[in-house]
């Protein structure tokens, strides 16, 4: 049972381009229950989850993050191999958007509130970072957490002289075990906030603290995390004026995320 009288945390799993799901989730939170985000003692994340966590803790515009994500998906779709094409540099796009859109004092806002999961290359151990001395240092930590080996390149990035890779490889949901942690994940499973499937699922996969169901929709979501389909944005009839449905149209398992 969630206790509003005690401290609580929010934890976000890594999910690549499927982080569009987080845009819908936290747009809803900010509109209907902003105290859940503002009152959280820590907002933690791994990989792309850490990017959303940084947006929420630094005051960066969530709509702008959504625009950047869709722009990166469109850019990747220009190449025959999508994100795997050697001419497409995903983390360079991420860095440019963070340098442009994060507030100048983002490191001050994030320190103590944001927690980023990293995987140390030398021993594979998980490292959680919550203190940032500059905006550039904050960005570098986020880049390290998002660096998926081979997919993002061959040479892992450095933070304080140490090589790190994707935080999801060692701890995909930081602080999941604390009593008052709200877990959020774009894959259906046992997280507090996640897609709910209509079919029964008897098999689960526990990936570094994140529980994911075995089903065809999750399989599609995993593929979409690495290879984004063509995004389209439309305003459906019958919904309030500021509600938008972002639809990934390139498969029989289209995903709809409310923004």
């Amino acid at each position: 049972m969630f206790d509003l009288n005690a401290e609580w945390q929010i934890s976000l799993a890594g999910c690549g381009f499927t982080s569009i799901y987080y845009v819908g989730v936290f747009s809803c939170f900010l509109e209907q229950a902003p105290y859940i985000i503002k009152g959280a003692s820590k907002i933690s994340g791994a990989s792309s989850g850490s990017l959303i966590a940084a947006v929420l803790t630094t005051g960066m515009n969530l709509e702008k993050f959504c625009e950047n994500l869709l722009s990166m998906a469109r850019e990747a779709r220009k190449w025959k191999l999508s994100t795997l094409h050697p001419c497409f540099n995903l983390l360079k796009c991420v860095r440019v958007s963070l340098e442009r859109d994060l507030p100048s004092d983002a490191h001050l806002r994030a320190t103590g509130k944001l927690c980023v999961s990293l995987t140390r290359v030398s021993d594979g151990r998980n490292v959680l970072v919550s203190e940032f001395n500059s905006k550039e240092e904050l960005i570098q930590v986020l880049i390290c957490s998002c660096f998926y080996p081979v997919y993002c390149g061959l040479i892992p990035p450095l933070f304080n002289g140490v090589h790190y890779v994707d935080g999801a490889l060692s701890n995909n949901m930081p602080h999941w075990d604390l009593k008052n942690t709200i877990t959020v994940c774009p894959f259906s499973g046992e997280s507090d906030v996640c897609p709910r499937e209509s079919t029964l699922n008897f098999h689960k996969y526990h990936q570094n603290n994140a529980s994911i169901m075995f089903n065809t929709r999750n399989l599609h979501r995993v593929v979409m995390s690495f290879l984004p389909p063509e995004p389209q944005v439309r305003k459906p009839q019958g919904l309030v004026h500021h509600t938008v449905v972002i639809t990934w149209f390139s498969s029989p398992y289209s995903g709809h995320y409310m923004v």
Side-chain angles (χ1 to χ4, degrees):
M1 181 66 70
F2 183 69
D3 184 5
L4 283 173
N5 295 317
E7 283 192 353
W8 67 86
Q9 301 82 29
I10 301 174
S11 185
L12 296 82
C15 56
F17 282 94
T18 321
S19 56
I20 194 73
Y21 177 82
Y22 291 138
V23 176
V25 168
F26 289 105
S27 292
C28 182
F29 272 120
L30 288 170
E31 180 179 334
Q32 302 295 330
Y35 63 89
I36 291 180
I37 296 174
K38 294 177 181 177
S41 60
K42 267 192 171 55
I43 302 179
S44 308
S47 194
S48 60
S50 70
L51 298 180
I52 291 287
V55 170
L56 297 175
T57 54
T58 63
M60 178 178 159
N61 188 283
L62 191 59
E63 183 178 345
K64 186 63 179 175
F65 174 86
C66 180
E67 292 175 3
N68 292 340
L69 186 62
L70 294 176
S71 176
M72 283 185 271
R74 293 190 185 97
E75 184 63 28
R77 294 280 298 179
K78 292 178 180 179
W79 305 97
K80 288 185 178 180
L81 297 177
S82 187
T83 53
L84 301 179
H85 196 284
C87 290
F88 180 75
N89 189 325
L90 177 59
L91 289 187
K92 181 179 179 180
C93 295
V94 172
R95 174 178 284 279
V96 168
S97 66
L98 292 174
E99 290 175 345
R100 181 186 63 233
D101 299 324
L102 279 177
S104 58
D105 63 344
H107 58 293
L108 300 177
R109 302 186 190 192
T111 293
K113 179 93 170 179
L114 171 66
C115 183
V116 181
S117 175
L118 306 177
T119 301
R120 191 163 52 208
V121 172
S122 59
D123 56 7
R125 297 289 296 273
N126 182 249
V127 175
L128 299 178
V129 182
S130 291
E131 294 186 1
F132 313 96
N133 296 317
S134 65
K135 177 180 173 179
E136 173 55 33
E137 184 172 291
L138 169 60
I139 292 173
Q140 188 61 23
V141 170
L142 294 172
I143 292 297
C144 286
S145 186
C146 292
F147 184 91
Y148 199 90
V150 181
Y151 175 73
C152 291
L154 299 177
I155 302 176
L158 290 165
F159 169 58
N160 287 342
V162 178
H163 288 286
Y164 291 96
V165 293
D166 199 314
L169 297 175
S170 57
N171 187 354
N172 198 21
M173 196 160 276
H175 301 136
W176 68 276
D177 54 338
L178 298 182
K179 180 181 178 181
N180 248 20
T181 297
I182 302 171
T183 54
V184 189
C185 181
F187 306 107
S188 59
E190 295 180 343
S191 298
D192 298 313
V193 181
C194 67
R196 303 300 178 188
E197 311 293 5
S198 58
T199 57
L200 292 176
N201 294 275
F202 298 101
H203 300 287
K204 303 170 189 171
Y205 171 60
H206 291 272
Q207 187 219 9
N208 301 320
N209 300 333
S211 174
I212 300 173
M213 297 287 189
F214 276 112
N215 56 52
T216 52
R217 288 186 180 274
N218 271 348
L219 177 60
H220 166 64
R221 292 177 185 121
V222 170
V223 173
M224 193 171 71
S225 296
F226 294 96
L227 301 171
E230 183 66 35
Q232 294 186 27
V233 180
R234 61 189 174 86
K235 189 175 277 190
Q237 295 181 353
L239 297 177
V240 292
H241 70 280
H242 55 271
T243 302
V244 173
V245 173
I246 296 175
T247 307
W248 303 101
F249 276 102
S250 69
S251 92
Y253 301 106
S254 298
H256 303 267
Y257 306 102
M258 305 307 295
V259 179

